[in-house]
Amino acid sequence: GEKEKSVKELESLLTSKVFSKVETLNQKDFYRFFKPILISSGIFPKGLEDFAINGGYLRFVKNLQSIATLPHGLDLALAMMVEVNVASGILQYGTTKLAAELQKSMFGGQMILATGVSEPEWEGRLAKLKSSLTLGKLSGTKSFITNGQCADGILWVLPEKESFSVYLVRRDKYRDLLIDEPISTDYLKLVSHLKLTANEYPLEKEDLVLEDYKTLGIELRLKELFGLTS
């Protein structure tokens, strides 16, 4: 099929001298370099409607499996899986104007989006998140954001009243109020991870992406685990 052909074309690119530059790419540049290629080859979904087509999500998972067998393919498959399964999963349920705009930008290749959930000492429990939004200023730390170094925006989960809201933190705005701490791991070294601290970063109501992440979190975690183990 078309997608299988696309994976083969991607394989020829990954193994060709044209892409010998891969050896010199760092964590920040790796996924940003390859995402346009994944889009143009038809491997990256065109939108959530791709999954609505019969067997669409299964085809995506099979493409991940094929990519994982290529040089640097595990790094690439993980980076794409996290953006598609987690970031787009949040946008799918977002009812705000911004959520719809971000879907177009993410699937169109204009933006890379990462998701910030985990925090120091949160122990996997949303109830222990300590990020706060006070008088329109966000303060808090996200301890492990996959694709964080290459992302244009972070979907930041924080407790607000009885829910867990998701806001967009744009990494090109108020740079002096964001502290980046790149994280390296001993495995899949080309996947970028980031610890990010916001110090009274201004947010508007227009930056709201999703009103409550609470019930969605379990579903996204299962999709992420499914993608990792496939």
Side-chain angles (χ1 to χ4, degrees), residues 6 17 19 26 28 30 53 57 77 90 101 114 125-126 132 166 176 183 185 188 198 202 206-207 216 227:
S6 298
K17 290 182 180 178
F19 278 30
N26 58 29
K28 185 178 180 180
F30 176 72
I53 300 169
Y57 186 71
I90 289 173
E101 292 172 352
R125 296 173 59 191
L126 291 176
S132 63
V166 181
D176 57 325
I183 298 172
T185 60
L188 303 182
E206 290 81 12
D207 296 315
L216 185 58

Side-chain angles (χ1 to χ4, degrees), residues 37-224:
I37 298 159
L38 292 168
I39 291 173
S40 63
S41 66
I43 294 171
F44 198 93
K46 293 182 176 65
L48 292 168
E49 62 273 11
D50 270 19
F51 295 155
I53 300 169
N54 225 7
Y57 186 71
L58 184 58
R59 278 193 297 276
F60 171 69
V61 172
K62 286 183 176 178
N63 279 329
L64 286 177
Q65 292 172 334
S66 299
I67 291 170
T69 66
L70 307 179
H72 309 293
L74 271 174
D75 302 78
L76 191 55
L78 176 61
M80 179 168 67
M81 183 274 292
V82 169
E83 187 176 26
V84 171
N85 276 357
V86 183
S88 80
I90 289 173
L91 300 179
Q92 178 182 5
Y93 292 97
T95 57
T96 65
K97 179 183 176 183
L98 178 59
E101 292 172 352
L102 292 177
Q103 271 197 52
K104 290 181 182 178
S105 296
M106 194 200 90
F107 286 112
Q110 291 81 34
M111 288 186 80
I112 293 174
L113 294 173
T115 305
V117 183
S118 61
E119 297 187 359
E121 301 177 2
W122 83 302
E123 299 174 349
R125 296 173 59 191
L126 291 176
K128 288 198 169 188
L129 294 182
K130 295 178 181 176
S131 287
S132 63
L133 184 60
T134 306
L135 299 176
K137 302 290 181 69
L138 169 69
S139 295
T141 297
K142 292 301 178 184
S143 53
F144 196 87
I145 306 172
T146 299
N147 289 337
Q149 293 179 51
C150 63
D152 301 290
I154 308 298
L155 302 178
W156 194 295
V157 181
L158 61 95
E160 199 173 26
K161 298 178 182 176
E162 299 300 313
S163 63
F164 294 90
S165 307
V166 181
Y167 285 84
L168 175 67
V169 171
R170 301 177 190 271
R171 295 188 64 225
D172 62 348
K173 291 180 67 176
Y174 310 113
R175 286 298 308 158
D176 57 325
L177 303 178
L178 295 174
I179 301 172
D180 293 5
E181 296 179 57
I183 298 172
S184 296
T185 60
D186 293 331
Y187 54 93
L188 303 182
K189 294 183 178 181
L190 289 173
V191 180
S192 83
H193 305 287
L194 182 69
K195 180 179 179 180
L196 183 63
T197 298
N199 290 317
E200 298 192 339
Y201 179 99
L203 287 175
E204 309 282 344
K205 61 180 181 180
E206 290 81 12
D207 296 315
L208 180 67
V209 175
L210 180 71
E211 291 184 349
D212 198 358
Y213 174 89
K214 187 164 43 185
T215 55
L216 185 58
I218 297 172
E219 176 187 332
L220 295 181
R221 183 60 181 150
L222 288 173
K223 284 178 75 174
E224 190 175 13

Side-chain angles (χ1 to χ4, degrees), residues 5-24:
K5 180 183 176 184
S6 298
V7 171
K8 287 180 180 177
E9 289 174 354
L10 180 63
E11 179 177 13
S12 68
L13 288 170
L14 281 164
T15 55
S16 71
K17 290 182 180 178
V18 177
F19 278 30
S20 59
K21 181 184 175 184
V22 173
E23 302 299 335
T24 66

